[in-house]
Amino acid sequence: MYRPLADRLRPTTLDDVVGQKHILGKNGILSRLVANDVVPNMVFYGPSGTGKTTVANIIANRTNRKLYKLNATTASTSDIRDIIGELDTLLTPGGVLLYLDEIQYFNKKQQQSLLEFIENGKISLISSTTENPYFYVYNALLSRSTVFEFLPVEAEEMTPAVVRAVEFCAAESGATVNYPDELIEGICRSSGGDVRRAINTAELLVSAASPDDGKITLSIDDLAAINGASAVRYDRDGDVHYDLLSAFQKSIRGSDPDAAVHYLARLLQGGDLASVCRRLLVTAAEDVGLAYPMAVVFAKACVDSAFQLGLPEAQIPLADAVILLATSPKSNSGVCAIAAATEDIRSGKSGEVPAHLKDSHYKGAKTLGRGVGYKYAHDYPNHYVDMQFLPDSVKHMKYYKYGENKMEQASKAYWDSIKRKPEN
């Protein structure tokens, strides 16, 4: 029976996993946990093909617990009951390690059915999801788990895996393989950070090649045909992909539309539509921000159009977005505000939510003092009332400072006139 190459070449040790150095590197927290044989409840969050299942398998092979695998797209509550039924039996003397893939497809009741057993340690749960766990995993389960984010794998990190895949396929066919250096780069960069996709592309290229006197030659043209895009070529004079992305965003931030479009064109030649679109959305919020709030709406519309169109037509709305962002007024006041607030939260400066702001839509709330003293802003002139909203411990903090641009200064003037106490 056919097994996909990505599955046959799946790493068996953490050292062989490509990417994820932030958690799997020498000093990465996850690699240290595995080395110490500690298996906490974990949520692996990240896009497809970034190693979530591979790492879960490696951890499972190092433990003395019985491994169960479920996919939430097909599993049911009865599957969970079957696993629970084997706890404290001779079948599971060391407990159970449950790998639950695509946990976002489990409803609240299904997720809660695991709580008691992961709480007492009889089940160690490793779940994975491509969706944000803070939106799709229920709080009770999330609070008992540690979230590890798996990032798209950079092309440079992916290269050894793709080379191994090409040579493995060629060896299986009994032939030697020749290919230009640009081919490996092209496979890596057009995979969108997905190692599985890159390996599958490599397998397809080798399978489609015709041996000639025991040799297989792979071509850029075949890769272009697979990707449905123009031939992929790269400048190898030190301009690696992340440098291009950096130059791309900095050109937009520096209000240079010509440079920004230049880097856009170079990036799109690699077929990496996802990275370009992500960077555009970040730039719209990070660098244009509140100086022109509609910029992020325009950028999102262009990104959506790009994904619907696909390359090469996608370059047209993307160029529109790049030029608009580059020629828009700039402000990073939002970035500064959230950074300052985050710094306080991380340093422990949070405090209790003021009682008058707490939810009071239930019987007994007033007895607890919830919502008492709250003033409904819409009942006051200009829909504003002077009231404390921050916790007591940070009530004097000013995280947001108006940017020196027309839009934000107009907002500042409005609120200064309403509040009658100018802010710095």
Side-chain angles (χ1 to χ4, degrees):
M1 185 176 70
Y2 170 74
R3 282 180 62 200
L5 182 62
D7 187 54
R8 285 184 285 156
L9 294 183
R10 193 181 295 277
T12 56
T13 69
L14 292 183
D15 290 337
D16 294 331
V17 177
V18 296
Q20 316 314 327
K21 299 304 180 186
H22 61 296
I23 54 175
L24 297 179
K26 182 178 180 181
N27 294 314
I29 181 67
L30 185 53
S31 62
R32 284 184 278 141
L33 287 171
V34 174
N36 293 333
D37 291 324
V38 176
V39 186
N41 300 307
M42 296 178 282
V43 177
F44 291 170
Y45 160 49
S48 299
T50 53
K52 302 186 296 297
T53 300
T54 295
V55 173
N57 285 334
I58 292 171
I59 293 174
N61 290 334
R62 293 178 59 97
T63 182
N64 63 349
R65 295 189 168 204
K66 184 172 182 179
L67 173 66
Y68 290 89
K69 294 181 181 180
L70 294 179
N71 189 300
T73 60
T74 56
S76 64
T77 304
S78 63
D79 294 310
I80 300 176
R81 284 199 296 265
D82 290 342
I83 295 173
I84 292 173
E86 293 190 7
L87 295 174
D88 298 322
T89 68
L90 294 177
L91 296 173
T92 58
V96 164
L97 175 62
L98 171 60
Y99 176 57
L100 179 57
D101 197 13
E102 305 292 354
I103 188 175
Q104 72 270 18
Y105 291 106
F106 261 14
N107 60 35
K108 185 175 183 179
K109 182 178 179 181
Q110 289 172 310
Q111 291 188 29
Q112 287 181 329
S113 66
L114 295 167
L115 286 177
E116 175 187 348
F117 303 99
I118 67 172
E119 186 105 68
N120 62 25
K122 292 182 178 180
I123 293 178
S124 290
L125 176 66
I126 301 179
S127 55
S128 67
T129 176
T130 56
E131 306 290 344
N132 190 326
Y134 295 98
F135 296 151
Y136 289 91
V137 180
Y138 287 92
N139 285 337
L141 193 61
L142 199 58
S143 67
R144 293 164 173 80
S145 306
T146 301
V147 176
F148 290 99
E149 183 175 7
F150 284 62
L151 303 175
V153 180
E154 295 289 343
E156 290 75 16
E157 295 179 304
M158 197 185 300
T159 298
V162 175
V163 171
R164 181 186 175 207
V166 169
E167 294 180 349
F168 181 88
C169 287
E172 276 195 329
S173 68
T176 58
V177 61
N178 297 316
Y179 51 84
D181 291 338
E182 302 99 297
L183 180 81
I184 300 299
E185 281 193 73
I187 294 172
C188 294
R189 298 198 191 284
S190 62
S191 68
D194 184 332
V195 179
R196 185 188 301 112
R197 177 183 171 187
I199 291 176
N200 290 341
T201 299
E203 181 182 22
L204 191 60
L205 285 170
V206 175
S207 299
S210 299
D212 182 11
D213 194 24
K215 294 181 179 179
I216 290 176
T217 300
L218 307 183
S219 73
I220 289 290
D221 291 338
D222 284 344
L223 176 60
I226 290 174
N227 289 334
S230 300
V232 182
R233 296 188 183 275
Y234 296 93
D235 181 357
R236 295 182 59 83
D237 295 330
D239 288 318
V240 292
H241 196 54
Y242 63 85
D243 286 336
L244 289 176
L245 282 171
S246 178
F248 177 55
Q249 181 170 0
K250 289 172 181 174
S251 297
I252 296 175
R253 181 185 298 150
S255 304
D256 188 332
D258 299 308
V261 170
H262 169 83
Y263 289 118
L264 172 67
R266 288 175 62 174
L267 286 163
L268 292 181
Q269 284 302 300
D272 190 359
L273 191 61
S275 294
V276 170
C277 290
R278 179 182 180 277
R279 190 59 66 104
L280 270 178
L281 293 176
V282 169
T283 303
E286 179 180 350
D287 297 310
V288 177
L290 298 174
Y292 181 35
M294 286 301 294
V296 71
V297 178
F298 185 86
K300 179 62 165 62
C302 291
V303 164
D304 288 345
S305 297
F307 279 121
Q308 286 186 325
L309 292 169
L311 289 168
E313 288 86 354
Q315 64 185 334
I316 301 171
L318 293 180
D320 288 344
V322 166
I323 293 170
L324 179 86
L325 296 180
T327 56
S328 293
K330 305 297 190 294
S331 173
N332 70 337
S333 57
V335 176
C336 295
I338 189 61
T342 300
E343 183 177 355
D344 272 0
I345 300 304
R346 288 177 175 172
S347 62
K349 298 178 183 178
S350 55
E352 187 75 10
V353 173
H356 60 276
L357 298 182
K358 290 185 176 180
D359 179 31
S360 59
H361 295 87
Y362 57 91
K363 186 177 180 180
K366 288 188 177 180
T367 303
L368 297 174
R370 305 292 194 262
V372 176
Y374 173 69
K375 300 175 183 179
Y376 188 59
H378 298 299
D379 290 338
Y380 293 83
N382 299 307
H383 304 270
Y384 170 75
V385 60
D386 189 10
M387 186 167 53
Q388 179 183 328
F389 291 94
L390 280 168
D392 288 338
S393 60
V394 291
K395 65 181 180 180
H396 297 302
M397 291 301 301
K398 298 292 183 184
Y399 296 117
Y400 172 61
K401 297 181 180 179
Y402 290 95
E404 297 295 331
N405 58 79
K406 184 177 180 180
M407 182 71 71
E408 290 182 87
Q409 285 301 304
S411 179
K412 181 179 185 299
Y414 171 79
W415 284 110
D416 282 350
S417 68
I418 297 298
K419 298 180 180 181
R420 292 187 175 84
K421 49 179 184 181
E423 298 178 6
N424 296 324

